[in-house]
Amino acid sequence: MHLDRKASYLDLEASILARTDLQPDDQSSLLLALQSLRDEAARYRLLSSALDQLPDEIFLKDRDSRYILANREAEFAVGLSHQGMAGKDDRELFGDALAAKYRAEDLQVLSTGVPLYHPPFQWTLPKGGTRWNQTTKYPVFDDAGNVIAVCGQVRQSTEVMQSRVLLEAQIDVLEMLAANCPIEAVFARITALTEGLLEGFWGSIIVLDQEGCVVADVIAPTMAPEYGQALKGLVIADNLGTCGTACYRGVPIHTEDILKDPNWEAFRSLAEPYGLRSCWSMPYFNADGTVHGTFALYSRQPRLPSEFESRCLALGSRLAELAVERERIAAQLRTMAERDSLTALPNRSAFTEILARELTSAAAEIRHVAIAVIDIDDFKLVNDRYGHAAGDALLSAISLRMEKMLGPNDVVARLGADEFAVILQSAGRDDFRRSLESLLAAVRRPVEFDRYRLTISATAGLAIFPTHGRQVQELLSHATAAMHRAKHVGRGRLEGFDPE
């Protein structure tokens, strides 16, 4: 192409030199003008080549909004070959609606002489895929200061915008976690956010059972309910679909084409009715490193993930992990607030709540409930003589014995250092005393610790709902009073509350 241009200039030069009717001065003027054109063309080609190297789209439009020039990136964005935009207008390239919008923008720049800036927007490429663009239109002035053209620059901001939308998605989920939203709602939000970032995708979160062997739940709000139901109860194994394999191996698994992947042979009939072709799955983990489940993305296109899609997959998995960790910490805090750290029995606060519920139920069902307060006799002597480790071992052993002695609906709690409380419901009213006597007998059995054999007794006081009271604190107070009277009479015995 450059050879043709060179030849045309040489031909013109030869033609001028061959003219015998021209004066020498005229001939020189024509040759100088030809050289000037030649230099201008060379500069244009150099400028055009330089513009083609830029990652931004660059274009120039005349006052009628026709394209004078455009670099390769601008032509690629609209699916045209090199120099395919020159002479065209927006209606030919984008249709009436966008052409009217772009023409209004051009007229604003032409009339005001002020650049026009656009916020980032998502653009769909002719050959598939999307990218984020940010457009600026500048006025072009002649020597007299008149606006004669519009120069446009479209800068790709895909990476910046992708990072921004990923950050916004993270903030959205973190706010839910901070607000203590239920984990099911958080999981549903994670899938919704990811689907919003990726057009034509469906998200799902698989939750395994406590042993990490069976699919316990599937959170996939936008997928057919039958699909998730079919996965529940599935035993995890290697080479079992995409998510099953990811759970088993603990690594991301990308299935390019479900219809061709042998791991999908048993589930292909399940995916086909919904047109699912690709599945990418990434496990998320418990704090101890075991797999809690997977986050997966499904598509109707058979392909592998792009870099951004891989980032979305990783984000969904990490957010699910954070949700699980939040649940673990919350459960830990609940345990610390409600359970005794040594014996793991309910503490005083939890016991009063349990007792309040049981009294409400007993009142509705018109039945009796026994409340006993038990104090370990001379427990301080154990700590003083054998050390606190021995005292802790003794309390732990006594706690286990009392739990084993109680019925399925009974409760034992540790109220303080050496004080316990019991709710008896499994026995009838006449059997409450007999049950507590058996419990005290179990406490008296020796406890082996290190090289010592520790023997101790316990004293208990009993109050019965509704005979001795109807309120939690009233019953506890009466049971405590009965326990103190028993200690006064003689340790290691049981006394019932006597209002007299």
Side-chain angles (χ1 to χ4, degrees):
M1 190 170 182
H2 292 295
L3 289 174
D4 291 340
R5 290 198 191 99
K6 185 177 180 181
S8 62
Y9 284 122
L10 290 174
D11 289 344
L12 283 170
E13 186 178 25
S15 176
I16 292 170
L17 291 172
R19 293 278 297 273
T20 57
D21 57 331
L22 293 176
Q23 296 295 323
D25 290 344
D26 294 335
Q27 193 177 61
S28 296
S29 297
L30 285 173
L31 290 173
L32 286 172
L34 179 61
Q35 184 59 45
S36 179
L37 286 172
R38 207 171 183 176
D39 293 342
E40 287 294 326
R43 280 195 293 271
Y44 176 83
R45 289 196 301 274
L46 181 62
L47 175 62
S48 179
S49 179
L51 292 176
D52 285 341
Q53 307 310 310
L54 296 178
D56 296 348
E57 300 172 32
I58 305 293
F59 58 83
L60 189 65
K61 299 166 80 173
D62 64 19
R63 291 188 63 88
D64 295 324
S65 292
R66 286 195 172 274
Y67 288 90
I68 301 170
L69 65 85
N71 69 348
R72 289 183 187 273
E73 193 63 32
E75 291 163 338
F76 169 78
V78 295
L80 294 177
S81 59
H82 189 43
Q83 297 183 344
M85 290 179 68
K88 288 185 169 58
D89 60 21
D90 290 323
R91 185 173 284 102
E92 297 175 77
L93 299 174
F94 307 112
D96 291 340
L98 280 178
K101 176 177 179 292
Y102 294 158
R103 178 58 179 165
E105 295 171 356
D106 294 346
L107 289 173
Q108 180 179 334
V109 174
L110 291 166
S111 62
T112 64
V114 177
L116 180 66
Y117 301 96
H118 271 294
F121 62 95
Q122 204 165 16
W123 180 260
T124 302
L125 297 170
K127 295 184 179 180
T130 60
R131 68 186 186 192
W132 288 89
N133 289 337
Q134 190 168 4
T135 301
T136 306
K137 291 184 175 181
Y138 302 94
V140 179
F141 300 93
D142 62 12
D143 293 338
N146 301 311
V147 182
I148 58 171
V150 174
C151 179
Q153 178 189 27
V154 182
R155 171 157 291 175
Q156 286 193 51
S157 54
T158 301
E159 289 188 8
V160 173
M161 288 304 299
Q162 286 176 347
S163 297
R164 177 178 168 182
V165 294
L166 289 176
L167 178 60
E168 289 174 350
Q170 291 179 65
I171 292 172
D172 191 285
V173 173
L174 291 175
E175 286 177 345
M176 291 186 72
L177 294 177
N180 287 321
C181 293
I183 192 168
E184 295 80 10
V186 176
F187 280 170
R189 186 60 179 154
I190 291 171
T191 61
L193 285 169
T194 312
E195 290 168 353
L197 296 175
L198 302 172
E199 187 177 354
F201 281 84
W202 294 268
S204 76
I205 293 178
I206 280 180
V207 181
L208 300 182
D209 64 359
Q210 289 188 346
E211 289 72 31
C213 299
V214 177
V215 176
D217 198 8
V218 179
I219 293 89
T222 59
M223 297 181 72
E226 296 80 10
Y227 187 81
Q229 286 295 330
L231 297 179
K232 289 184 182 180
L234 186 70
V235 178
I236 297 303
D238 198 12
N239 301 318
L240 193 66
T242 306
C243 295
T245 306
C247 283
Y248 185 86
R249 298 182 186 178
V251 297
I253 300 294
H254 299 157
T255 296
E256 183 175 1
D257 192 345
I258 288 172
L259 300 185
K260 296 179 181 178
D261 191 329
N263 289 349
W264 274 82
E265 186 173 349
F267 306 100
R268 201 163 288 138
S269 59
L270 182 64
E272 280 180 329
Y274 308 107
L276 303 178
R277 292 296 300 273
S278 61
C279 178
W280 316 323
S281 184
M282 180 172 285
Y284 61 97
F285 299 89
N286 297 305
D288 61 1
T290 56
V291 175
H292 191 277
T294 64
F295 174 71
L297 290 170
Y298 293 85
S299 168
R300 289 197 172 110
Q301 301 296 322
R303 62 183 183 84
L304 294 174
S306 66
E307 181 185 354
F308 179 62
E309 290 160 349
S310 294
R311 290 173 67 189
C312 289
L313 186 67
L315 175 65
S317 172
R318 179 57 183 147
L319 291 176
E321 217 164 78
L322 290 175
V324 170
E325 180 64 6
R326 192 280 310 265
E327 285 292 288
R328 185 187 70 82
I329 293 172
Q332 221 173 37
L333 292 174
R334 284 194 297 271
T335 298
M336 291 171 63
E338 299 172 357
R339 295 277 168 174
D340 173 58
S341 59
L342 175 63
T343 64
L345 295 177
N347 59 20
R348 179 181 290 273
S349 174
F351 180 78
T352 55
E353 290 183 9
I354 294 169
L355 181 55
R357 290 197 300 268
E358 296 303 335
L359 294 183
T360 301
S361 175
E365 298 170 9
I366 314 176
R367 57 182 174 82
H368 293 85
V369 176
I371 296 91
V373 173
I374 302 170
D375 186 78
I376 307 301
D377 298 328
D378 299 321
F379 179 71
K380 184 176 182 298
L381 295 178
V382 176
N383 279 335
D384 293 344
R385 183 176 299 177
Y386 303 106
H388 287 281
D392 289 348
L394 180 65
L395 290 174
S396 296
I398 288 172
S399 300
L400 288 172
R401 288 178 186 177
M402 286 195 286
E403 282 189 294
K404 288 180 180 178
M405 294 296 296
L406 297 178
N409 298 318
D410 301 333
V411 178
V412 59
R414 186 185 179 196
L415 301 186
D418 56 358
E419 190 173 80
F420 295 82
V422 173
I423 301 173
L424 291 177
Q425 300 182 87
S426 299
R429 178 178 178 178
D430 296 337
D431 295 325
F432 286 151
R433 179 174 287 273
R434 188 181 303 112
S435 297
L436 284 171
E437 293 283 8
S438 299
L439 189 146
L440 293 180
V443 170
R444 286 194 293 269
R445 293 202 308 270
V447 174
E448 303 289 342
F449 174 74
D450 199 5
R451 62 183 184 277
Y452 303 112
R453 184 179 176 85
L454 307 177
T455 303
I456 204 161
S457 64
T459 302
L462 171 66
I464 298 176
F465 169 88
T467 308
H468 299 144
R470 290 180 171 273
Q471 304 301 319
V472 170
Q473 293 305 323
E474 181 185 17
L475 288 163
L476 278 173
S477 176
H478 289 167
T480 301
M483 182 267 292
H484 286 305
R485 191 173 78 247
K487 278 186 176 288
H488 180 73
V489 174
R491 297 171 186 269
R493 56 186 287 118
L494 167 68
E495 285 288 338
F497 174 70
D498 183 356
E500 299 298 327

